[in-house]
């Protein structure tokens, strides 16, 4: 499949590009906001980039793609307004563009806590609320979706071993971005992950086995 990666220049997005490229099963298309980012992403394995902004027009970005992986985020240094415009409204606009242009598969990077905003406080509560609204829009869409909700993301090296459940009940656990990227990439290959939402943290089960059990 031809797979658009939203948030391609972020830590998780870069890992997704590399994983998809090395697998040879799918063709990653990097969605970027700055053309100067294309050279580094091409070195990671993407053969195509598209210039687009989640706060702007997105129809041209999804055109011709078979799937979308949403791995974007406003980042911890931005305020609540940016969280709404990128993590919530940007995701919803991309969902609508995907539906409009016949994209079938949509993999969403969400977060533990998206279904329980009251667990957080201040900016985290606002973040959980925005992610929850984006997840709701995806579940209500016509798209063949998977919503992946990891705990806190780390930049540690991944080891390919996770724990996965519809609800883990652990708001303090973490998981390397590399392992999250592997999970999201492999969801493209498992039909049983269709129209499913689940949480993941570092654990003892290898990723393939865990996904087969969804």
């Amino acid at each position: 499949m031809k797979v658009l990666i939203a948030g391609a220049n972020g830590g998780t997005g870069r890992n997704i590009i590399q994983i998809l490229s090395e697998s040879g099963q799918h063709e990653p298309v990097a969605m970027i906001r700055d053309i100067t980012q294309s050279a580094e992403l091409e070195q990671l394995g993407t053969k195509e980039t598209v210039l687009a902004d989640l706060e702007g027009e997105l129809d041209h970005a999804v055109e011709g793609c078979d799937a979308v992986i949403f791995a974007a985020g406003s980042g911890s240094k931005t305020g609540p307004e940016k969280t709404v415009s990128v993590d919530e409204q940007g995701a919803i606009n991309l969902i609508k563009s995907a539906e409009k242009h016949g994209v079938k598969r949509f993999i969403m990077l969400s977060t533990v806590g998206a279904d329980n905003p009251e667990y957080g406080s201040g900016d985290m509560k606002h973040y959980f609320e925005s992610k929850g609204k984006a997840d709701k829009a995806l579940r209500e869409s016509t798209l063949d979706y998977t919503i992946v909700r990891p705990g806190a993301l780390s930049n540690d090296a991944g080891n390919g071993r996770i724990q996965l459940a519809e609800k883990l009940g652990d708001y303090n656990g973490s998981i390397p971005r590399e392992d999250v990227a592997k999970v999201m990439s492999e969801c493209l290959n498992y039909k049983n992950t269709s129209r499913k939402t689940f949480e993941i943290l570092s654990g003892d089960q290898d990723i393939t086995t865990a996904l087969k059990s969804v």
Side-chain angles (χ1 to χ4, degrees):
M1 289 190 287
K2 192 172 182 180
V3 186
L4 179 71
I5 315 299
N9 196 49
T12 306
R14 284 170 169 254
N15 275 296
I16 290 169
I17 288 172
Q18 193 164 10
I19 289 165
L20 292 181
S21 176
E22 289 175 354
S23 75
Q25 293 177 290
H26 305 289
E27 179 186 343
V29 178
M31 183 175 134
I32 55 176
R33 290 183 299 170
D34 186 342
I35 195 63
T36 61
Q37 298 167 346
S38 61
E40 285 188 40
L41 297 181
E42 286 169 3
Q43 288 181 349
L44 291 176
T46 187
K47 294 181 173 62
E48 184 178 347
T49 58
V50 59
L51 201 60
D53 192 324
L54 286 167
E55 297 177 87
E57 172 61 45
L58 295 169
D59 282 0
H60 68 287
V62 301
E63 197 167 1
C65 291
D66 305 296
V68 171
I69 295 181
F70 185 93
S74 55
S76 60
K77 296 180 181 178
T78 60
E81 295 81 8
K82 206 71 169 176
T83 300
V84 171
S85 62
V86 174
D87 298 86
E88 180 184 330
Q89 199 56 53
I92 292 171
N93 290 341
L94 191 57
I95 290 164
K96 290 178 179 178
S97 288
E99 286 185 296
K100 179 179 177 181
H101 288 275
V103 174
K104 301 300 182 186
R105 198 75 168 94
F106 198 110
I107 316 294
M108 174 77 88
L109 176 59
S110 182
T111 180
V112 167
D115 61 346
N116 187 17
E118 296 305 318
Y119 174 80
S121 61
D123 287 348
M124 285 307 299
K125 180 180 178 182
H126 183 80
Y127 175 69
F128 288 159
E129 287 174 344
S130 288
K131 295 300 285 186
K133 289 175 182 177
D135 291 355
K136 182 175 183 289
L138 183 54
R139 286 195 302 270
E140 293 175 350
S141 75
T142 60
L143 297 170
D144 177 7
Y145 70 83
T146 305
I147 298 171
V148 180
R149 290 176 168 171
L153 303 179
S154 76
N155 293 318
D156 298 335
N159 65 5
R161 305 192 73 79
I162 63 171
Q163 52 179 313
L164 180 155
E166 183 176 343
K167 194 73 179 163
L168 288 170
D170 182 357
Y171 290 89
N172 298 310
S174 64
I175 183 169
R177 292 178 183 275
E178 185 179 347
D179 285 337
V180 174
K182 181 71 171 174
V183 169
M184 297 183 75
S185 300
E186 287 206 14
C187 280
L188 294 169
N189 304 321
Y190 290 97
K191 291 182 179 180
N192 63 297
T193 64
S194 173
R195 304 194 75 80
K196 299 287 180 66
T197 301
F198 54 81
E199 298 179 355
I200 55 172
L201 293 169
S202 290
D204 298 321
Q205 195 171 37
D206 72 86
I207 289 172
T208 298
T209 301
L211 287 177
K212 286 180 177 179
S213 70
V214 171

